[in-house]
Amino acid sequence: HPGRFTDEERRVLAVIHKDLAARSGGSRFVDRAAFLAFFPLPGLIGERVFCVFDRSGKGVDLDDFLAGLAVGLRGDAFEERAFLFSMFDLDGDGTVSAQELRSVLNHIPVDVLQRAGAGDRGERSFVRYTNEDVAVAALGGRERLDFEAFGAWLVRTPAVRDYVLGALVPPVDLPPEGGRASPPPRTRSLSGKLLSPRARRASRRDDDSVTRSPLRDDHPRRSSSGSSDDGPAPAPPPAEW
């Protein structure tokens, strides 16, 4: 995964990681508090993203940091789904139960839920969707989602995927020598060489409309086989994404 970044990009990210590790007590690991201050995702969303990054359980080392961002910014459709599936699978049993789905959706902002409720139709109406509406539509009468069903739901509701992965866009400016990297602003600038291709396209649209999703997915996505088909992945997720 880290090979998806250029040497310059890796250098920038290594400086950012070193700064975050210094804020975490001076070890080579970034702790939960420093990670969540830098990537300000709310409540359980942020907690679960940190857990997915923290593969060893000791904190986020540089390899974890680069691997997580490589999936979030440059991952194919299968890798992104595996990342998000791990985030929603709270007990690690290989499925997302109805309760787990509702627990995570409870922390998704209302405007994202609205887009998720509208789904891939992009409809505009006076209907106000809630987390329960989105959960019921995702479950379709089932008690839990396996990886394939979860992937199919993400295809229908790209707003959830884009909200989480969009928050992983780091600032691209190096901090001053010996200085600290600043957390990305809540109104993120989507210009810069570290952005994924879909974000670069969206950044140009954001200048014209503040109501658009910053990472709206309007172009073919790569599948794990390299095709642009964004259908459900045919295989279960790897033990570690």
Side-chain angles (χ1 to χ4, degrees), residues 170-183:
V172 298
D173 294 332
L174 281 171
E177 186 67 29
R180 294 180 179 274
S182 300

Side-chain angles (χ1 to χ4, degrees), residues 113-198:
L113 289 174
Q114 185 64 23
R115 295 196 299 274
D120 57 8
R121 300 180 302 278
E123 63 188 24
R124 295 290 182 269
S125 72
F126 292 106
V127 176
R128 286 290 173 252
Y129 297 97
T130 66
N131 60 328
E132 182 62 18
D133 294 326
V134 176
V136 168
L139 292 164
R142 291 165 291 204
E143 289 298 319
R144 56 187 61 244
L145 300 174
D146 61 15
F147 184 68
E148 183 175 350
F150 182 85
W153 170 62
L154 286 181
V155 171
R156 297 193 303 272
T157 57
V160 172
R161 177 197 63 207
D162 289 348
Y163 168 70
V164 175
L165 298 182
L168 300 182
V169 176
V172 298
D173 294 332
L174 281 171
E177 186 67 29
R180 294 180 179 274
S182 300
R186 291 184 181 277
T187 54
R188 298 176 189 281
S189 170
L190 294 179
S191 61
K193 61 193 173 189
L194 287 176
L195 297 187
S196 60
R198 67 175 179 272

Side-chain angles (χ1 to χ4, degrees), residues 11-27:
R11 185 178 74 86
V12 171
L13 293 174
V15 170
I16 292 172
H17 180 271
K18 183 178 180 180
D19 174 56
L20 294 175
R23 301 187 191 198
S24 304
S27 73

Side-chain angles (χ1 to χ4, degrees), residues 28-181:
R28 64 188 183 91
F29 297 101
V30 176
D31 65 16
R32 187 183 307 267
F35 185 91
L36 295 179
F38 194 72
F39 297 115
L41 285 159
L44 186 60
I45 304 292
E47 294 283 338
R48 291 302 299 166
V49 169
F50 174 80
C51 288
V52 177
F53 267 74
D54 180 15
R55 297 178 292 182
S56 68
K58 300 176 181 178
V60 178
D61 65 15
L62 181 57
D63 287 342
D64 293 335
F65 193 66
L66 292 176
L69 290 177
V71 171
L73 300 177
R74 305 277 166 81
D76 60 33
F78 179 88
E79 291 167 329
E80 290 180 351
R81 289 175 204 167
F83 182 101
L84 291 165
F85 186 83
S86 296
M87 191 190 97
F88 275 77
D89 182 12
L90 302 182
D91 62 8
D93 70 349
T95 63
V96 175
S97 70
Q99 183 56 49
E100 288 172 331
L101 183 66
R102 290 183 171 95
S103 294
V104 177
L105 289 176
N106 279 340
H107 294 261
I108 297 286
V110 172
D111 63 319
V112 179
L113 289 174
Q114 185 64 23
R115 295 196 299 274
D120 57 8
R121 300 180 302 278
E123 63 188 24
R124 295 290 182 269
S125 72
F126 292 106
V127 176
R128 286 290 173 252
Y129 297 97
T130 66
N131 60 328
E132 182 62 18
D133 294 326
V134 176
V136 168
L139 292 164
R142 291 165 291 204
E143 289 298 319
R144 56 187 61 244
L145 300 174
D146 61 15
F147 184 68
E148 183 175 350
F150 182 85
W153 170 62
L154 286 181
V155 171
R156 297 193 303 272
T157 57
V160 172
R161 177 197 63 207
D162 289 348
Y163 168 70
V164 175
L165 298 182
L168 300 182
V169 176
V172 298
D173 294 332
L174 281 171
E177 186 67 29
R180 294 180 179 274

